[in-house]
Amino acid sequence: VDFNPAYDPTAPLHKPTTVSEINTLVCDIMSHSNVNIPATSNFALKGAASLNTVLGVATTGVVYMNPMSANDVDPFYPTGSYATEKVDLCLGHPQAQGIYHYHM
């Protein structure tokens, strides 16, 4: 992964003009688009079809996931019959394929 991809902050990928567009872009934790990742970063999905739960990537290469688990429930206080997910002191753990990630 290239941690210093060529990126021009003066040329944003999104140009929201309404409150609704801003809310969709910023507030919808399930909103995703692989086009938001600079192509020069060489980021790979590792078998995933999309990044619908990824919020960002740490400089160490570890991904930050949204607050929901793979079951779409709170991983620390799940509802229903889902078990509480175990995390380390950094609020991270490996997912089913063994890839370590953080929860925000």
Side-chain angles (χ1 to χ4, degrees):
V1 174
D2 180 1
F3 294 112
N4 295 301
Y7 176 72
D8 181 1
T10 63
L13 295 172
H14 302 283
K15 297 178 184 176
T17 57
T18 67
V19 171
S20 177
E21 289 173 339
I22 291 170
N23 287 341
T24 298
L25 183 63
V26 177
C27 300
D28 183 0
I29 64 171
M30 295 308 286
S31 176
H32 66 282
S33 177
N34 299 344
V35 300
N36 292 333
I37 303 169
T40 56
S41 71
N42 295 320
F43 186 80
L45 291 174
K46 299 290 184 193
S50 67
L51 298 173
N52 64 336
T53 57
V54 175
L55 292 175
V57 180
T59 57
T60 59
V62 176
V63 294
Y64 289 103
M65 305 296 269
N66 73 21
M68 307 306 276
S69 73
N71 298 314
D72 201 26
V73 297
D74 184 320
F76 308 113
Y77 300 98
T79 57
S81 61
Y82 297 107
T84 301
E85 294 188 21
K86 294 176 174 55
V87 294
D88 60 22
L89 294 175
C90 297
L91 296 179
H93 63 164
Q95 43 85 294
Q97 289 76 25
I99 299 172
Y100 184 82
H101 64 275
Y102 303 119
H103 279 277
M104 297 296 289

Coordinates of all heavy atoms in Angstrom, one line a residue:
V1 N 0.9 -1.2 0.0 CA 0.0 0.0 0.0 C 0.9 1.2 0.0 O 1.8 1.3 0.8 CB -0.9 0.0 1.2 CG1 -1.7 1.3 1.3 CG2 -1.9 -1.2 1.2
D2 N 0.6 2.2 -0.9 CA 1.3 3.4 -0.9 C 0.6 4.4 0.1 O -0.5 4.8 -0.1 CB 1.2 4.0 -2.3 CG 1.9 5.3 -2.5 OD1 2.5 5.8 -1.5 OD2 1.9 5.9 -3.6
F3 N 1.4 4.7 1.2 CA 0.8 5.6 2.2 C 0.9 7.1 1.8 O 0.4 7.9 2.6 CB 1.5 5.3 3.5 CG 1.3 4.0 4.1 CD1 2.3 3.0 4.1 CD2 0.0 3.6 4.5 CE1 2.0 1.8 4.6 CE2 -0.3 2.3 4.9 CZ 0.8 1.4 5.0
N4 N 1.5 7.4 0.7 CA 1.5 8.8 0.2 C 1.1 8.9 -1.2 O 1.9 9.3 -2.1 CB 3.0 9.3 0.4 CG 3.4 9.4 1.8 OD1 2.7 10.1 2.6 ND2 4.4 8.7 2.2
P5 N -0.2 8.5 -1.5 CA -0.6 8.5 -2.9 C -0.7 9.9 -3.4 O -0.9 10.9 -2.6 CB -2.0 7.9 -2.8 CG -2.5 8.1 -1.4 CD -1.2 8.1 -0.6
A6 N -0.6 10.1 -4.7 CA -0.8 11.4 -5.3 C -2.2 11.8 -5.2 O -3.1 11.1 -5.7 CB -0.4 11.3 -6.8
Y7 N -2.5 12.8 -4.5 CA -3.8 13.3 -4.2 C -3.9 14.8 -4.2 O -3.1 15.4 -3.6 CB -4.3 12.7 -2.9 CG -5.7 13.2 -2.5 CD1 -6.8 12.7 -3.1 CD2 -5.8 14.1 -1.4 CE1 -8.1 13.1 -2.7 CE2 -7.1 14.5 -1.1 CZ -8.2 14.0 -1.7 OH -9.5 14.4 -1.4
D8 N -4.9 15.3 -4.9 CA -5.0 16.8 -5.0 C -6.2 17.2 -4.1 O -7.4 17.0 -4.5 CB -5.2 17.2 -6.4 CG -5.4 18.7 -6.6 OD1 -5.3 19.4 -5.5 OD2 -5.6 19.2 -7.7
P9 N -6.0 17.7 -2.9 CA -7.1 18.1 -2.0 C -8.0 19.2 -2.6 O -9.1 19.5 -2.1 CB -6.5 18.5 -0.7 CG -5.1 18.8 -1.1 CD -4.7 18.0 -2.3
T10 N -7.5 19.9 -3.6 CA -8.3 21.0 -4.2 C -9.2 20.5 -5.3 O -10.0 21.3 -5.8 CB -7.4 22.1 -4.8 OG1 -6.6 21.5 -5.9 CG2 -6.4 22.6 -3.8
A11 N -9.2 19.2 -5.6 CA -10.1 18.6 -6.6 C -10.8 17.4 -5.9 O -10.5 16.3 -6.1 CB -9.3 18.1 -7.7
P12 N -11.8 17.7 -5.0 CA -12.5 16.7 -4.3 C -13.3 15.8 -5.3 O -13.8 16.2 -6.3 CB -13.5 17.5 -3.4 CG -13.7 18.8 -4.1 CD -12.4 19.1 -4.8
L13 N -13.5 14.5 -4.8 CA -14.3 13.6 -5.6 C -15.8 13.9 -5.5 O -16.5 13.6 -6.4 CB -14.0 12.2 -5.1 CG -12.6 11.6 -5.3 CD1 -12.5 10.3 -4.6 CD2 -12.3 11.5 -6.8
H14 N -16.2 14.5 -4.4 CA -17.6 14.8 -4.2 C -17.7 16.3 -4.0 O -16.9 16.9 -3.3 CB -18.1 14.1 -2.9 CG -18.0 12.6 -3.0 ND1 -18.8 11.8 -3.8 CD2 -17.1 11.8 -2.4 CE1 -18.5 10.6 -3.6 NE2 -17.4 10.5 -2.9
K15 N -18.8 16.9 -4.5 CA -19.0 18.3 -4.4 C -20.5 18.5 -3.9 O -21.3 19.0 -4.7 CB -18.7 19.0 -5.7 CG -17.3 18.9 -6.1 CD -17.0 19.6 -7.4 CE -15.6 19.4 -7.8 NZ -15.3 20.0 -9.1
P16 N -20.8 18.2 -2.7 CA -22.2 18.3 -2.2 C -22.6 19.8 -2.2 O -21.8 20.6 -1.8 CB -22.1 17.7 -0.8 CG -20.7 17.8 -0.4 CD -19.9 17.7 -1.6
T17 N -23.8 20.0 -2.5 CA -24.3 21.4 -2.5 C -25.6 21.5 -1.7 O -26.0 22.6 -1.4 CB -24.7 21.8 -4.0 OG1 -25.6 20.9 -4.5 CG2 -23.4 21.9 -4.8
T18 N -26.1 20.4 -1.2 CA -27.3 20.5 -0.3 C -27.0 19.8 1.0 O -26.1 18.9 1.1 CB -28.5 19.9 -1.0 OG1 -28.3 18.5 -1.1 CG2 -28.8 20.5 -2.3
V19 N -27.8 20.1 2.0 CA -27.7 19.4 3.3 C -27.9 17.9 3.1 O -27.2 17.1 3.7 CB -28.7 20.0 4.3 CG1 -28.7 19.1 5.6 CG2 -28.3 21.4 4.7
S20 N -28.9 17.5 2.3 CA -29.2 16.1 2.0 C -28.0 15.4 1.4 O -27.6 14.3 1.8 CB -30.4 16.0 1.1 OG -30.6 14.6 0.8
E21 N -27.3 16.0 0.5 CA -26.1 15.4 -0.1 C -25.0 15.3 0.9 O -24.3 14.3 0.9 CB -25.7 16.2 -1.3 CG -26.6 16.2 -2.5 CD -26.2 17.1 -3.6 OE1 -25.5 18.1 -3.4 OE2 -26.6 16.9 -4.8
I22 N -24.8 16.3 1.8 CA -23.8 16.2 2.8 C -24.1 15.1 3.8 O -23.2 14.3 4.1 CB -23.7 17.5 3.5 CG1 -23.1 18.6 2.6 CG2 -22.8 17.4 4.8 CD1 -23.1 20.0 3.1
N23 N -25.4 15.0 4.2 CA -25.8 13.9 5.1 C -25.5 12.5 4.5 O -25.1 11.6 5.2 CB -27.2 14.1 5.5 CG -27.5 15.2 6.5 OD1 -26.5 15.7 7.1 ND2 -28.7 15.7 6.6
T24 N -25.9 12.4 3.3 CA -25.7 11.1 2.6 C -24.2 10.7 2.6 O -23.8 9.6 2.8 CB -26.3 11.1 1.2 OG1 -27.7 11.3 1.3 CG2 -26.0 9.8 0.5
L25 N -23.4 11.7 2.3 CA -21.9 11.5 2.1 C -21.2 11.3 3.5 O -20.4 10.4 3.6 CB -21.3 12.7 1.4 CG -19.8 12.6 1.1 CD1 -19.5 11.5 0.2 CD2 -19.3 13.9 0.5
V26 N -21.6 12.0 4.5 CA -20.9 12.0 5.8 C -21.6 11.2 6.8 O -20.9 10.5 7.6 CB -20.7 13.5 6.3 CG1 -20.0 13.5 7.6 CG2 -19.9 14.3 5.3
C27 N -22.9 11.2 6.9 CA -23.6 10.6 8.0 C -24.1 9.2 7.8 O -24.4 8.5 8.8 CB -24.8 11.5 8.4 SG -24.3 13.1 8.9
D28 N -24.2 8.7 6.6 CA -24.6 7.3 6.4 C -23.5 6.3 6.5 O -22.7 6.2 5.6 CB -25.3 7.2 5.0 CG -25.8 5.9 4.7 OD1 -25.8 5.0 5.6 OD2 -26.4 5.7 3.6
I29 N -23.4 5.6 7.7 CA -22.3 4.8 7.9 C -22.2 3.6 7.0 O -21.2 2.9 6.8 CB -22.2 4.3 9.4 CG1 -23.4 3.4 9.7 CG2 -22.0 5.4 10.3 CD1 -23.3 2.7 11.0
M30 N -23.3 3.3 6.3 CA -23.3 2.2 5.4 C -23.1 2.6 3.9 O -23.0 1.8 3.0 CB -24.6 1.4 5.4 CG -24.9 0.7 6.8 SD -23.5 -0.3 7.3 CE -23.7 -1.7 6.2
S31 N -22.9 3.9 3.8 CA -22.6 4.5 2.4 C -21.2 4.1 2.1 O -20.3 4.2 2.9 CB -22.7 6.0 2.4 OG -22.4 6.5 1.2
H32 N -20.9 3.7 0.9 CA -19.6 3.3 0.5 C -19.4 3.5 -1.0 O -20.3 3.5 -1.8 CB -19.3 1.8 0.9 CG -20.2 0.9 0.1 ND1 -21.5 0.6 0.4 CD2 -19.9 0.1 -1.0 CE1 -22.0 -0.3 -0.5 NE2 -21.0 -0.6 -1.3
S33 N -18.2 3.6 -1.3 CA -17.8 3.7 -2.7 C -16.3 3.5 -2.9 O -15.5 4.2 -2.3 CB -18.1 5.1 -3.3 OG -17.7 5.2 -4.6
N34 N -16.0 2.5 -3.6 CA -14.6 2.1 -3.8 C -13.8 3.2 -4.6 O -12.6 3.3 -4.6 CB -14.4 0.8 -4.5 CG -15.0 -0.3 -3.7 OD1 -15.3 -0.2 -2.5 ND2 -15.3 -1.4 -4.3
V35 N -14.6 4.1 -5.3 CA -13.9 5.2 -6.0 C -13.3 6.2 -5.1 O -12.5 7.1 -5.6 CB -14.9 5.8 -7.1 CG1 -15.4 4.8 -8.1 CG2 -16.0 6.5 -6.4
N36 N -13.6 6.2 -3.8 CA -13.1 7.2 -2.9 C -11.6 6.9 -2.6 O -10.9 7.7 -2.0 CB -13.9 7.2 -1.6 CG -15.2 7.8 -1.8 OD1 -15.4 8.6 -2.7 ND2 -16.2 7.4 -1.0
I37 N -11.1 5.7 -2.9 CA -9.8 5.3 -2.6 C -8.9 5.7 -3.8 O -9.1 5.3 -4.9 CB -9.6 3.8 -2.4 CG1 -10.6 3.4 -1.2 CG2 -8.2 3.4 -2.1 CD1 -10.7 1.9 -1.1
P38 N -7.9 6.6 -3.6 CA -7.0 6.9 -4.7 C -6.4 5.7 -5.4 O -5.9 4.8 -4.7 CB -5.9 7.8 -4.0 CG -6.5 8.3 -2.8 CD -7.5 7.2 -2.3
A39 N -6.5 5.6 -6.7 CA -6.0 4.4 -7.4 C -4.5 4.3 -7.2 O -4.0 3.1 -7.2 CB -6.3 4.6 -8.9
T40 N -3.8 5.3 -6.9 CA -2.3 5.2 -6.7 C -1.9 4.6 -5.4 O -0.8 4.3 -5.2 CB -1.7 6.6 -6.9 OG1 -2.3 7.5 -5.9 CG2 -1.8 7.2 -8.3
S41 N -2.9 4.4 -4.5 CA -2.6 3.8 -3.2 C -2.3 2.3 -3.3 O -1.8 1.7 -2.4 CB -3.7 4.0 -2.2 OG -4.8 3.2 -2.6
N42 N -2.7 1.7 -4.4 CA -2.6 0.2 -4.6 C -3.4 -0.6 -3.5 O -3.0 -1.7 -3.2 CB -1.1 -0.2 -4.6 CG -0.4 0.3 -5.8 OD1 -0.9 0.4 -6.9 ND2 0.8 0.8 -5.6
F43 N -4.4 0.0 -3.0 CA -5.2 -0.7 -2.0 C -6.0 -1.8 -2.6 O -6.5 -1.7 -3.7 CB -6.2 0.3 -1.3 CG -7.0 -0.3 -0.2 CD1 -6.4 -0.4 1.1 CD2 -8.3 -0.8 -0.4 CE1 -7.2 -0.9 2.1 CE2 -9.0 -1.3 0.7 CZ -8.4 -1.4 1.9
A44 N -6.0 -3.0 -1.9 CA -6.6 -4.2 -2.4 C -7.8 -4.6 -1.5 O -7.7 -4.5 -0.3 CB -5.6 -5.3 -2.6
L45 N -8.9 -5.1 -2.1 CA -10.0 -5.5 -1.3 C -9.8 -6.9 -0.6 O -10.6 -7.2 0.3 CB -11.3 -5.5 -2.2 CG -11.8 -4.2 -2.6 CD1 -12.9 -4.4 -3.6 CD2 -12.2 -3.3 -1.5
K46 N -8.9 -7.6 -1.0 CA -8.6 -9.0 -0.4 C -9.8 -9.9 -0.5 O -10.2 -10.5 0.5 CB -8.1 -8.8 1.0 CG -6.8 -8.1 1.1 CD -5.7 -8.9 0.6 CE -4.3 -8.1 0.8 NZ -3.3 -8.7 0.0
G47 N -10.5 -9.9 -1.6 CA -11.6 -10.8 -1.8 C -13.0 -10.2 -1.5 O -14.0 -10.8 -1.9
A48 N -13.0 -9.0 -0.9 CA -14.3 -8.4 -0.7 C -14.8 -7.7 -2.0 O -14.0 -7.3 -2.8 CB -14.2 -7.3 0.4
A49 N -16.1 -7.7 -2.1 CA -16.7 -7.1 -3.3 C -16.8 -5.5 -3.2 O -16.8 -4.8 -4.1 CB -18.1 -7.6 -3.6
S50 N -16.9 -5.1 -1.9 CA -17.0 -3.6 -1.7 C -16.5 -3.3 -0.3 O -16.1 -4.2 0.5 CB -18.5 -3.2 -1.8 OG -19.2 -3.8 -0.7
L51 N -16.5 -2.1 0.0 CA -16.0 -1.6 1.3 C -17.2 -1.0 2.1 O -17.1 0.1 2.6 CB -14.9 -0.5 1.1 CG -13.7 -1.0 0.4 CD1 -12.7 0.1 0.1 CD2 -13.0 -2.1 1.3
N52 N -18.3 -1.7 2.2 CA -19.4 -1.0 2.8 C -19.3 -0.8 4.3 O -20.2 -0.2 4.9 CB -20.7 -1.8 2.5 CG -20.7 -3.2 3.1 OD1 -19.7 -3.8 3.3 ND2 -21.9 -3.8 3.3
T53 N -18.3 -1.3 5.0 CA -18.2 -1.1 6.4 C -16.8 -0.4 6.8 O -16.6 -0.2 7.9 CB -18.3 -2.4 7.2 OG1 -17.3 -3.3 6.8 CG2 -19.7 -3.0 7.1
V54 N -16.0 -0.1 5.8 CA -14.7 0.5 6.1 C -14.8 2.0 6.1 O -15.4 2.6 5.2 CB -13.7 0.1 5.0 CG1 -12.4 0.8 5.2 CG2 -13.5 -1.4 5.0
L55 N -14.3 2.6 7.2 CA -14.3 4.1 7.3 C -13.0 4.7 6.8 O -13.0 5.8 6.4 CB -14.5 4.5 8.8 CG -15.9 4.1 9.3 CD1 -15.9 4.5 10.8 CD2 -16.9 4.9 8.6
G56 N -11.9 3.9 7.0 CA -10.6 4.5 6.6 C -9.5 3.5 6.8 O -9.8 2.3 7.2
V57 N -8.3 3.9 6.5 CA -7.1 3.0 6.7 C -6.1 3.7 7.5 O -5.7 4.9 7.2 CB -6.6 2.6 5.3 CG1 -5.4 1.7 5.5 CG2 -7.6 2.0 4.4
A58 N -5.6 3.1 8.6 CA -4.6 3.7 9.4 C -3.3 3.7 8.6 O -3.1 3.0 7.7 CB -4.4 2.9 10.7
T59 N -2.3 4.5 9.1 CA -1.0 4.5 8.4 C -0.3 3.2 8.5 O 0.6 2.9 7.8 CB -0.1 5.7 9.0 OG1 0.0 5.5 10.4 CG2 -0.7 7.0 8.7
T60 N -0.7 2.4 9.4 CA -0.1 1.0 9.6 C -0.8 0.0 8.6 O -0.3 -1.1 8.5 CB -0.4 0.5 11.0 OG1 -1.8 0.5 11.2 CG2 0.3 1.3 12.0
G61 N -1.8 0.5 7.8 CA -2.5 -0.4 6.9 C -3.7 -1.1 7.5 O -4.4 -1.8 6.8
V62 N -3.9 -1.0 8.8 CA -5.1 -1.6 9.4 C -6.3 -0.7 9.1 O -6.3 0.5 9.2 CB -4.9 -1.7 10.9 CG1 -6.1 -2.2 11.6 CG2 -3.7 -2.5 11.3
V63 N -7.4 -1.4 8.7 CA -8.6 -0.7 8.4 C -9.4 -0.3 9.6 O -9.4 -1.0 10.6 CB -9.5 -1.5 7.4 CG1 -8.9 -1.6 6.0 CG2 -10.0 -2.8 8.0
Y64 N -10.1 0.8 9.5 CA -11.1 1.3 10.5 C -12.5 0.9 10.0 O -12.8 1.3 8.9 CB -11.0 2.8 10.7 CG -9.8 3.3 11.4 CD1 -8.8 3.9 10.7 CD2 -9.7 3.2 12.8 CE1 -7.6 4.4 11.3 CE2 -8.5 3.7 13.4 CZ -7.5 4.3 12.7 OH -6.4 4.7 13.3
M65 N -13.2 0.1 10.8 CA -14.5 -0.3 10.4 C -15.6 0.6 11.1 O -15.3 1.3 12.1 CB -14.8 -1.7 10.8 CG -13.8 -2.7 10.3 SD -13.8 -2.8 8.6 CE -14.9 -4.2 8.3
N66 N -16.8 0.7 10.5 CA -17.8 1.5 11.1 C -18.2 0.8 12.4 O -17.7 -0.3 12.7 CB -19.0 1.6 10.1 CG -19.8 0.4 9.9 OD1 -19.8 -0.5 10.7 ND2 -20.5 0.4 8.8
P67 N -19.1 1.4 13.2 CA -19.5 0.8 14.5 C -20.2 -0.5 14.5 O -20.4 -1.1 15.5 CB -20.3 1.9 15.1 CG -20.1 3.1 14.3 CD -19.7 2.7 13.0
M68 N -20.7 -0.9 13.3 CA -21.5 -2.1 13.2 C -20.7 -3.4 13.0 O -19.6 -3.3 12.3 CB -22.5 -2.0 12.1 CG -23.4 -0.7 12.2 SD -24.2 -0.5 13.8 CE -25.6 -1.5 13.6
S69 N -21.1 -4.5 13.5 CA -20.5 -5.8 13.2 C -20.9 -6.3 11.8 O -21.7 -5.7 11.1 CB -20.9 -6.8 14.3 OG -22.2 -7.2 14.1
A70 N -20.3 -7.4 11.5 CA -20.7 -8.1 10.2 C -22.1 -8.5 10.2 O -22.7 -8.6 9.1 CB -19.8 -9.3 10.0
N71 N -22.7 -8.6 11.4 CA -24.1 -9.0 11.5 C -25.0 -7.7 11.5 O -26.2 -7.8 11.8 CB -24.4 -9.8 12.8 CG -23.6 -11.1 12.7 OD1 -23.6 -11.8 11.7 ND2 -22.9 -11.4 13.8
D72 N -24.4 -6.6 11.3 CA -25.1 -5.3 11.3 C -25.7 -5.0 12.7 O -26.8 -4.4 12.8 CB -26.2 -5.3 10.2 CG -26.6 -3.8 9.8 OD1 -25.8 -2.9 10.0 OD2 -27.7 -3.6 9.4
V73 N -25.0 -5.3 13.8 CA -25.4 -5.0 15.1 C -24.2 -4.3 15.8 O -23.1 -4.5 15.4 CB -26.0 -6.2 15.9 CG1 -27.2 -6.8 15.3 CG2 -24.9 -7.2 16.1
D74 N -24.5 -3.7 16.9 CA -23.4 -3.1 17.7 C -22.5 -4.3 18.2 O -23.0 -5.2 18.9 CB -24.0 -2.4 19.0 CG -22.9 -1.7 19.8 OD1 -21.8 -2.3 20.0 OD2 -23.2 -0.6 20.2
P75 N -21.2 -4.3 17.9 CA -20.3 -5.4 18.2 C -20.1 -5.6 19.7 O -19.8 -6.7 20.2 CB -19.0 -5.2 17.5 CG -19.0 -3.7 17.3 CD -20.4 -3.3 17.1
F76 N -20.3 -4.5 20.5 CA -20.0 -4.5 21.9 C -21.2 -4.7 22.8 O -21.1 -5.2 23.9 CB -19.2 -3.3 22.3 CG -18.0 -3.0 21.4 CD1 -18.0 -1.9 20.6 CD2 -16.9 -3.9 21.4 CE1 -16.9 -1.7 19.8 CE2 -15.8 -3.7 20.6 CZ -15.8 -2.6 19.8
Y77 N -22.4 -4.3 22.2 CA -23.6 -4.5 22.9 C -24.7 -5.0 21.9 O -25.6 -4.3 21.6 CB -24.1 -3.2 23.6 CG -23.1 -2.6 24.6 CD1 -22.2 -1.7 24.2 CD2 -23.1 -3.1 25.9 CE1 -21.3 -1.2 25.1 CE2 -22.2 -2.6 26.8 CZ -21.3 -1.7 26.4 OH -20.4 -1.2 27.4
P78 N -24.5 -6.2 21.4 CA -25.4 -6.7 20.3 C -26.8 -7.0 20.8 O -26.9 -7.3 22.0 CB -24.6 -7.9 19.8 CG -23.9 -8.4 21.0 CD -23.4 -7.2 21.7
T79 N -27.7 -6.9 19.9 CA -29.1 -7.3 20.2 C -29.3 -8.7 19.8 O -28.6 -9.2 19.0 CB -30.1 -6.3 19.6 OG1 -29.8 -6.3 18.1 CG2 -29.9 -4.9 20.1
G80 N -30.4 -9.3 20.2 CA -30.8 -10.6 19.8 C -29.8 -11.7 20.3 O -29.3 -11.5 21.4
S81 N -29.6 -12.7 19.5 CA -28.8 -13.8 20.0 C -27.3 -13.7 19.6 O -26.5 -14.6 19.8 CB -29.3 -15.1 19.4 OG -29.3 -15.0 18.0
Y82 N -26.9 -12.5 19.1 CA -25.5 -12.3 18.7 C -24.6 -12.2 19.9 O -24.9 -11.5 20.9 CB -25.3 -11.1 17.8 CG -26.1 -11.3 16.5 CD1 -27.2 -10.5 16.3 CD2 -25.6 -12.1 15.5 CE1 -27.9 -10.7 15.1 CE2 -26.3 -12.3 14.3 CZ -27.5 -11.5 14.1 OH -28.1 -11.7 13.0
A83 N -23.4 -12.8 19.9 CA -22.4 -12.7 20.9 C -21.6 -11.4 20.9 O -21.4 -10.8 19.8 CB -21.4 -13.9 20.8
T84 N -21.2 -10.9 22.0 CA -20.4 -9.7 22.1 C -19.0 -10.1 21.5 O -18.4 -11.1 21.8 CB -20.2 -9.3 23.6 OG1 -21.4 -9.0 24.1 CG2 -19.3 -8.1 23.7
E85 N -18.5 -9.2 20.6 CA -17.2 -9.5 20.0 C -16.1 -9.1 20.9 O -16.2 -8.1 21.6 CB -17.1 -8.7 18.7 CG -18.1 -9.2 17.6 CD -17.9 -8.5 16.3 OE1 -16.8 -8.0 16.0 OE2 -18.9 -8.5 15.5
K86 N -15.1 -9.9 20.9 CA -13.9 -9.6 21.8 C -12.9 -8.8 21.0 O -12.6 -9.1 19.8 CB -13.3 -11.0 22.2 CG -14.2 -11.8 23.1 CD -13.5 -13.1 23.4 CE -14.3 -13.9 24.4 NZ -15.7 -14.2 24.2
V87 N -12.4 -7.8 21.6 CA -11.4 -6.9 21.0 C -10.2 -6.7 22.0 O -10.4 -6.9 23.2 CB -12.0 -5.5 20.7 CG1 -13.1 -5.6 19.6 CG2 -12.6 -4.8 21.9
D88 N -9.1 -6.2 21.4 CA -8.0 -6.0 22.2 C -8.0 -4.5 22.8 O -9.0 -3.8 22.6 CB -6.7 -6.2 21.5 CG -6.5 -5.4 20.2 OD1 -7.2 -4.3 20.1 OD2 -5.8 -5.8 19.3
L89 N -7.0 -4.1 23.4 CA -6.9 -2.7 24.0 C -7.0 -1.6 23.0 O -7.3 -0.5 23.3 CB -5.7 -2.6 24.9 CG -5.6 -3.4 26.1 CD1 -4.2 -3.3 26.8 CD2 -6.7 -3.1 27.0
C90 N -6.8 -1.9 21.7 CA -6.8 -1.0 20.6 C -8.2 -1.0 19.9 O -8.4 -0.4 18.9 CB -5.8 -1.2 19.6 SG -4.1 -1.0 20.2
L91 N -9.2 -1.7 20.5 CA -10.5 -1.9 19.9 C -10.4 -2.6 18.6 O -11.2 -2.3 17.7 CB -11.3 -0.6 19.9 CG -11.6 0.0 21.2 CD1 -12.4 1.3 20.9 CD2 -12.5 -0.9 22.1
G92 N -9.5 -3.5 18.4 CA -9.3 -4.2 17.2 C -9.4 -5.7 17.4 O -9.3 -6.2 18.5
H93 N -9.6 -6.4 16.3 CA -9.7 -7.9 16.3 C -9.7 -8.4 14.8 O -10.0 -7.6 13.9 CB -10.9 -8.4 17.1 CG -12.2 -8.1 16.5 ND1 -13.3 -8.7 16.8 CD2 -12.6 -7.1 15.6 CE1 -14.4 -8.2 16.2 NE2 -13.9 -7.2 15.4
P94 N -9.4 -9.7 14.6 CA -9.4 -10.2 13.2 C -10.9 -10.5 12.9 O -11.7 -11.0 13.7 CB -8.6 -11.4 13.3 CG -8.6 -11.9 14.7 CD -8.8 -10.6 15.5
Q95 N -11.2 -10.4 11.6 CA -12.5 -10.8 11.1 C -12.4 -12.3 10.7 O -11.4 -12.9 10.9 CB -13.1 -9.9 10.0 CG -12.1 -9.4 9.0 CD -11.9 -10.4 7.8 OE1 -11.5 -11.5 8.0 NE2 -12.3 -10.0 6.6
A96 N -13.5 -12.8 10.2 CA -13.6 -14.2 9.8 C -12.4 -14.7 9.0 O -12.0 -15.9 9.1 CB -14.9 -14.6 9.2
Q97 N -11.9 -13.9 8.0 CA -10.8 -14.3 7.2 C -9.5 -14.0 7.8 O -8.4 -14.2 7.2 CB -10.9 -13.6 5.8 CG -12.1 -14.1 4.9 CD -13.4 -13.5 5.4 OE1 -13.5 -12.5 6.0 NE2 -14.5 -14.2 5.1
G98 N -9.4 -13.6 9.1 CA -8.2 -13.4 9.8 C -7.6 -12.0 9.6 O -6.5 -11.8 10.0
I99 N -8.3 -11.1 8.9 CA -7.7 -9.7 8.7 C -8.0 -8.8 9.9 O -9.2 -8.6 10.2 CB -8.2 -9.1 7.4 CG1 -7.8 -10.0 6.2 CG2 -7.7 -7.7 7.2 CD1 -8.4 -9.6 4.9
Y100 N -7.0 -8.3 10.5 CA -7.2 -7.5 11.7 C -7.8 -6.1 11.3 O -7.4 -5.6 10.3 CB -5.8 -7.3 12.4 CG -5.8 -6.5 13.7 CD1 -6.2 -7.2 14.9 CD2 -5.5 -5.2 13.7 CE1 -6.2 -6.5 16.0 CE2 -5.6 -4.5 14.9 CZ -5.9 -5.1 16.1 OH -5.9 -4.4 17.2
H101 N -8.7 -5.6 12.2 CA -9.3 -4.3 11.9 C -9.7 -3.7 13.2 O -9.8 -4.3 14.2 CB -10.5 -4.4 11.0 CG -11.6 -5.2 11.6 ND1 -11.6 -6.6 11.5 CD2 -12.7 -4.8 12.3 CE1 -12.7 -7.0 12.1 NE2 -13.4 -6.0 12.6
Y102 N -9.8 -2.3 13.2 CA -10.3 -1.6 14.3 C -11.8 -1.3 14.2 O -12.3 -1.2 13.1 CB -9.6 -0.2 14.5 CG -8.1 -0.3 14.6 CD1 -7.3 0.3 13.6 CD2 -7.5 -0.9 15.7 CE1 -5.9 0.3 13.7 CE2 -6.1 -0.9 15.8 CZ -5.3 -0.3 14.8 OH -4.0 -0.3 14.9
H103 N -12.5 -1.1 15.3 CA -13.8 -0.6 15.3 C -13.8 0.9 15.8 O -13.1 1.1 16.7 CB -14.8 -1.4 16.1 CG -15.3 -2.6 15.4 ND1 -16.3 -2.6 14.5 CD2 -14.8 -3.9 15.5 CE1 -16.5 -3.8 14.1 NE2 -15.6 -4.7 14.6
M104 N -14.6 1.7 15.3 CA -14.7 3.1 15.7 C -15.9 3.3 16.6 O -16.9 2.7 16.5 CB -14.8 4.1 14.6 CG -13.6 4.1 13.7 SD -12.1 4.6 14.4 CE -12.3 6.3 14.6

